[in-house]
Amino acid sequence: MPAAPTRGYTASKEQLLKRLRRVEGQVRGVQRMVEEDRYCIDVLTQISAAQAALDKVALGLLDEHARHCIAQAEGEERLTKSDELMDAVGRLLRHG
Amino acid sequence: MPAAPTRGYTASKEQLLKRLRRVEGQVRGVQRMVEEDRYCIDVLTQISAAQAALDKVALGLLDEHARHCIAQAEGEERLTKSDELMDAVGRLLRHG
Amino acid sequence: MPAAPTRGYTASKEQLLKRLRRVEGQVRGVQRMVEEDRYCIDVLTQISAAQAALDKVALGLLDEHARHCIAQAEGEERLTKSDELMDAVGRLLRHG
Amino acid sequence: MPAAPTRGYTASKEQLLKRLRRVEGQVRGVQRMVEEDRYCIDVLTQISAAQAALDKVALGLLDEHARHCIAQAEGEERLTKSDELMDAVGRLLRHG
């Protein structure tokens, strides 16, 4: 079996997965609130919390990516990777 | 057992839960991508998709809330509820 | 000349215009920074400040609109106005 | 007089200033709409347009900055500059 490629986030993978599991728990919490007919505004507050947590994961990934993948690229490739990164930032700013 | 209160979103509860389960699936998809050391930019694209889906859920809830809870409130209460709604919009704009 | 219509924001018009003139000043500040070849990150910080100020203006308008226009509408019209408001929130969340 | 430093955006400075002058015009347009007591929702649509234009300016700056300043930095400095860039992205995501 070939080894998994090393990504910018490999070093922080466990922390990343922990955060993502917490986001999953938050989204399930929102489902439970809807099932229990909880007050709309409280449901929205919980959704904002999940969004903030996802933002944090995304920023962490961007940061690792910039530090590793771009920093280690050379010449032309670095420009391509930089554009690719900024496209990802654009998608995050506008949410897809 | 007392009946669950009727919320603005009660009519669309099933659709709401379906969407939230899809968001949960997307977040689990992000976890899997991280576990498999997938390329950072692809992980970020998937996060943006989950954010966009959460935005849609939030806007749906806001809409139902405005249509029902605010529309049916009277006098002073309507102002309080309107302020409460706008605070929720502010939290969404800034993500918590 | 017919009187100007009264809007939800009429009472706070002066404060609104003051804030908008400050945003205008911030945008001109960004131009000056670019003309003087200031450091990119500092320019970006100033842009974030202008965005935050515009968000505040938008939330203020939304709040006044919800309090006045929607609260005073009756029946069908209230639903139409509520939908219209949420469309505006959606555009703000995604910036156009 | 010392020469102005060359920035990542120096090559696209004229285009950047043109865009910023358009944003300034949009913000002045919003002021005029408020002065003329135009309908709140129309004012909000114009604010969203100004926000979208500012986002585009910011993304352009980020892109130039990543392509030039980070790409040309070496070793430690590249990490510092990458972190600085991601802090700026974080401020944009949350608007200050």
Side-chain angles (χ1 to χ4, degrees):
Chain A
M1 199 184 111
T6 304
R7 297 296 180 195
Y9 57 78
T10 299
S12 58
K13 204 167 142 173
E14 272 322 305
Q15 202 206 358
L16 210 51
L17 285 171
K18 215 169 113 182
R19 279 191 192 175
L20 283 165
R21 279 189 285 263
R22 215 170 56 207
V23 176
E24 191 193 326
Q26 285 174 310
V27 174
R28 261 207 301 267
V30 175
Q31 288 171 39
R32 214 160 27 237
M33 290 174 88
V34 168
E35 270 159 12
E36 295 169 357
D37 296 284
R38 297 276 292 278
Y39 187 48
C40 319
I41 299 292
D42 296 335
V43 182
L44 287 165
T45 301
Q46 183 68 8
I47 291 177
S48 295
Q51 297 264 40
L54 273 177
D55 270 356
K56 221 169 267 177
V57 171
L59 278 171
L61 273 171
L62 281 169
D63 191 34
E64 307 276 0
H65 186 66
R67 277 167 159 268
H68 296 264
C69 310
I70 296 185
Q72 277 152 30
E74 294 299 332
E76 257 319 292
E77 203 207 354
R78 203 182 283 159
L79 296 193
T80 321
K81 281 194 173 303
S82 161
D83 287 351
E84 198 184 59
L85 179 75
M86 289 309 144
D87 287 348
V89 171
R91 281 192 295 272
L92 280 174
L93 275 179
R94 233 170 309 278
H95 286 177
Chain B
M1 199 184 112
T6 303
R7 297 297 180 197
Y9 57 77
T10 300
S12 58
K13 205 167 143 174
E14 272 321 306
Q15 202 205 0
L16 209 52
L17 284 171
K18 214 169 115 183
R19 280 191 192 174
L20 283 165
R21 279 190 284 262
R22 215 170 55 209
V23 175
E24 191 193 327
Q26 285 173 311
V27 174
R28 261 206 303 266
V30 175
Q31 287 171 38
R32 214 161 27 237
M33 291 174 87
V34 167
E35 270 159 11
E36 295 169 357
D37 296 284
R38 296 275 292 279
Y39 187 47
C40 318
I41 299 293
D42 297 335
V43 183
L44 286 166
T45 301
Q46 183 68 9
I47 292 177
S48 294
Q51 298 261 40
L54 273 178
D55 269 356
K56 220 169 267 175
V57 171
L59 278 170
L61 272 171
L62 281 169
D63 192 33
E64 306 276 1
H65 187 65
R67 277 167 160 269
H68 295 264
C69 310
I70 295 184
Q72 276 151 31
E74 294 299 330
E76 258 317 292
E77 204 209 353
R78 202 182 283 159
L79 296 192
T80 321
K81 282 194 172 303
S82 161
D83 287 351
E84 200 185 58
L85 179 74
M86 289 310 143
D87 287 347
V89 171
R91 281 191 296 272
L92 281 174
L93 275 178
R94 232 171 310 278
H95 286 179
Chain C
M1 199 184 112
T6 303
R7 297 297 180 196
Y9 56 77
T10 300
S12 57
K13 205 167 144 173
E14 272 322 304
Q15 201 205 358
L16 210 51
L17 285 170
K18 216 169 112 182
R19 279 192 192 174
L20 283 165
R21 280 189 284 263
R22 215 170 55 208
V23 176
E24 191 193 328
Q26 285 173 311
V27 174
R28 262 207 301 267
V30 175
Q31 288 171 38
R32 213 160 32 237
M33 291 174 87
V34 168
E35 271 158 11
E36 294 168 357
D37 296 284
R38 297 276 292 280
Y39 187 48
C40 320
I41 298 292
D42 296 335
V43 182
L44 286 166
T45 302
Q46 184 67 9
I47 291 178
S48 294
Q51 298 262 41
L54 273 177
D55 269 355
K56 221 170 266 179
V57 171
L59 277 172
L61 273 170
L62 281 170
D63 191 34
E64 306 276 1
H65 186 65
R67 277 166 159 271
H68 295 264
C69 310
I70 295 184
Q72 276 152 32
E74 294 298 331
E76 257 319 291
E77 203 207 355
R78 203 181 284 158
L79 296 192
T80 321
K81 281 193 173 304
S82 161
D83 287 350
E84 198 185 59
L85 179 75
M86 289 310 143
D87 288 348
V89 171
R91 281 192 295 274
L92 281 173
L93 274 179
R94 231 170 311 276
H95 286 178
Chain D
M1 199 185 112
T6 302
R7 297 298 180 194
Y9 56 77
T10 299
S12 58
K13 204 168 145 173
E14 272 322 305
Q15 202 205 358
L16 209 52
L17 285 170
K18 215 169 113 184
R19 279 190 191 176
L20 283 165
R21 279 189 284 263
R22 215 172 55 209
V23 176
E24 192 194 327
Q26 285 173 310
V27 174
R28 262 206 302 267
V30 176
Q31 287 171 40
R32 214 161 29 237
M33 290 174 88
V34 168
E35 270 159 12
E36 295 168 358
D37 296 284
R38 295 276 292 280
Y39 187 48
C40 320
I41 299 292
D42 296 335
V43 181
L44 286 166
T45 301
Q46 183 68 9
I47 291 177
S48 293
Q51 297 263 40
L54 273 178
D55 269 355
K56 220 169 266 176
V57 171
L59 277 172
L61 272 171
L62 280 170
D63 191 34
E64 306 275 1
H65 186 65
R67 276 167 160 270
H68 295 263
C69 310
I70 295 185
Q72 275 152 31
E74 294 299 333
E76 258 317 293
E77 203 207 353
R78 202 182 285 160
L79 296 192
T80 322
K81 283 196 171 304
S82 161
D83 287 350
E84 199 185 59
L85 179 75
M86 289 310 142
D87 288 347
V89 171
R91 281 191 296 272
L92 281 174
L93 274 180
R94 232 171 310 278
H95 286 177

